[in-house]
Amino acid sequence: MMFETWVLVCALGTPVCHTLSDVEGPYDTKKQCIERAYEIAVELPEYMPNYVATKYKCLKVEKDLEGKINTTWQIKRKRVD
């Protein structure tokens, strides 16, 4: 079992948030995953100066997903009117 790091980042002073997926993982242990989340938070101002890391999550994955790209375009969403 391995862990992928995901970090929620939000724009300062606005409700705009994005989820970042770490490109260096997955990691063998949850501790490594958490350490990477904190590294991302520290490095964030260099790449996204108007954003702040607000939360992180370490998701379990069954195998190394190297070379695969996670996308959401193929997920059909129900429209709420």
Side-chain angles (χ1 to χ4, degrees):
M1 182 81 44
M2 300 183 85
F3 295 89
E4 280 188 327
T5 306
W6 292 79
V7 179
L8 181 67
V9 298
C10 297
L12 296 170
T14 72
V16 176
C17 295
H18 303 283
T19 305
L20 303 179
S21 173
D22 179 35
V23 295
E24 294 183 13
Y27 301 95
D28 294 326
T29 67
K30 190 169 184 177
K31 182 180 178 187
Q32 291 172 319
C33 179
I34 293 169
E35 288 173 355
R36 180 60 183 143
Y38 279 91
E39 287 176 9
I40 291 170
V42 169
E43 295 171 0
L44 186 65
E46 182 179 342
Y47 299 99
M48 299 175 77
N50 296 325
Y51 284 79
V52 63
T54 59
K55 296 180 181 182
Y56 72 87
K57 188 160 196 161
C58 290
L59 297 175
K60 292 180 185 179
V61 292
E62 295 297 323
K63 59 182 176 177
D64 186 353
L65 300 177
E66 185 176 337
K68 295 184 180 179
I69 299 172
N70 294 324
T71 63
T72 58
W73 66 267
Q74 69 272 47
I75 297 173
K76 294 183 180 180
R77 300 179 190 265
K78 289 185 178 180
R79 187 175 177 175
V80 178
D81 292 322

